[in-house]
Amino acid sequence: TATAVRTCGFSFSGRYIMYTTDKTMGRPCEIHIFDLNDIRNGEPTMVIPISSSKITSAVWGPYEEYIITGHENGEICHYDLKSGDKINSCKEHSKQINDLQLSKDMSMLISASKDTTAKLFETATLGHMKTYKTERPVNSASLSPIYDHVVLGGGQEAMDVTTTSTKVGKFDARFYHLVFEEEFGRVKGHFGPINSTAFHPDGKSYSSGGEDGYVRVHYFDPSYFDFRFEF
């Protein structure tokens, strides 16, 4: 590609692949979509130019009907796969979207933002459902496939890391209840901001990748599975 690639992903069936490029060197931010059955000619099936704020995160929507994009200005959009048009958008975040992840059944979408929050949306309508508040930029957020749990990872900007103590819980993975928006647990371990989080598909463990160069794989204790949220 002519400029940096920011995101990429396979569609639900694996037939299509998309990636997004940065707006740099006089070139626009674009979504490139390839049909893997017809990839040999090297030409994308569709190129969607993005005139607004550049894309910083993107995932496929269900059934390959649209691509969900998160932008530098905090906007989240749907781009239609057939027409290439922006068919839906919302702007609940005030700063850059760092991560977008779908729930197991793809009905819900969670966003992580520099504005120190993660937010839950209905995938199809982009209707805002819940907000999970922290004190620092959120770099990644994941939804448990088996419980109403959310894990957030983040921390302050990399350039500020050396000036602060790691004892204050700045780099903990933080667990929130999906519905009640309450934090109910933290996991220590990283000594730099967490950049990426993911639940295992069976929901029995999760991973976090950090600025410190470590990927930590955590297996939940029996007490996690017995835990019941107090109303």
Side-chain angles (χ1 to χ4, degrees):
T1 61
T3 62
V5 173
R6 186 62 45 197
T7 67
C8 63
F10 284 100
S11 66
F12 185 75
S13 70
R15 177 177 173 180
Y16 297 100
I17 189 169
M18 66 84 185
Y19 63 79
T20 68
T21 59
D22 276 358
K23 180 182 179 180
T24 47
M25 301 183 289
R27 293 178 178 270
C29 170
E30 292 175 332
I31 304 172
H32 291 242
I33 298 160
F34 287 84
D35 183 336
L36 293 181
N37 293 336
D38 187 33
I39 202 168
R40 289 186 181 167
N41 62 11
E43 292 300 315
T45 311
M46 180 183 282
V47 177
I48 305 170
I50 309 298
S51 54
S52 57
S53 176
K54 82 167 186 182
I55 294 171
T56 50
S57 184
V59 290
W60 282 90
Y63 316 121
E64 306 176 353
E65 292 171 350
Y66 52 84
I67 290 166
I68 308 163
T69 57
H71 297 255
E72 196 170 34
N73 65 356
E75 193 175 19
I76 298 174
C77 305
H78 285 174
Y79 281 91
D80 184 74
L81 192 61
K82 291 189 176 68
S83 66
D85 296 336
K86 187 193 325 188
I87 52 173
N88 201 354
S89 70
C90 70
K91 195 171 184 302
E92 296 290 337
H93 286 289
S94 58
K95 291 185 180 174
Q96 175 176 310
I97 307 292
N98 288 328
D99 188 28
L100 294 173
Q101 294 190 28
L102 293 167
S103 61
K104 187 178 182 180
D105 66 1
M106 295 184 154
S107 66
M108 295 184 295
L109 171 78
I110 192 162
S111 59
S113 172
K114 263 190 181 174
D115 68 6
T116 73
T117 69
K119 291 179 186 283
L120 188 72
F121 298 89
E122 192 178 8
T123 305
T125 63
L126 292 182
H128 176 224
M129 298 160 74
K130 301 288 176 183
T131 297
Y132 312 99
K133 296 185 177 124
T134 73
E135 310 80 49
R136 297 170 196 88
V138 184
N139 295 334
S140 190
S142 306
L143 297 164
S144 167
I146 58 172
Y147 292 130
D148 287 339
H149 294 172
V150 179
V151 64
L152 310 186
Q156 75 268 59
E157 298 286 339
M159 60 181 143
D160 304 328
V161 168
T162 53
T163 62
T164 54
S165 162
T166 57
K167 293 175 186 171
V168 201
K170 288 181 167 53
F171 311 128
D172 295 354
R174 301 170 68 164
F175 285 80
Y176 287 75
H177 193 281
L178 181 86
V179 179
F180 305 121
E181 305 168 308
E182 300 263 337
E183 184 180 351
F184 67 86
R186 294 191 182 193
V187 177
K188 299 187 186 308
H190 286 286
F191 47 92
I194 294 171
N195 291 331
S196 185
T197 61
F199 272 97
H200 190 283
D202 68 10
K204 295 177 182 175
S205 61
Y206 84 97
S207 302
S208 55
E211 195 76 23
D212 56 9
Y214 283 89
V215 177
R216 298 179 64 87
V217 183
H218 296 266
Y219 293 89
F220 294 120
D221 297 323
S223 58
Y224 172 81
F225 302 103
D226 299 333
F227 174 72
R228 294 294 173 266
F229 208 82
E230 297 288 332
F231 290 97

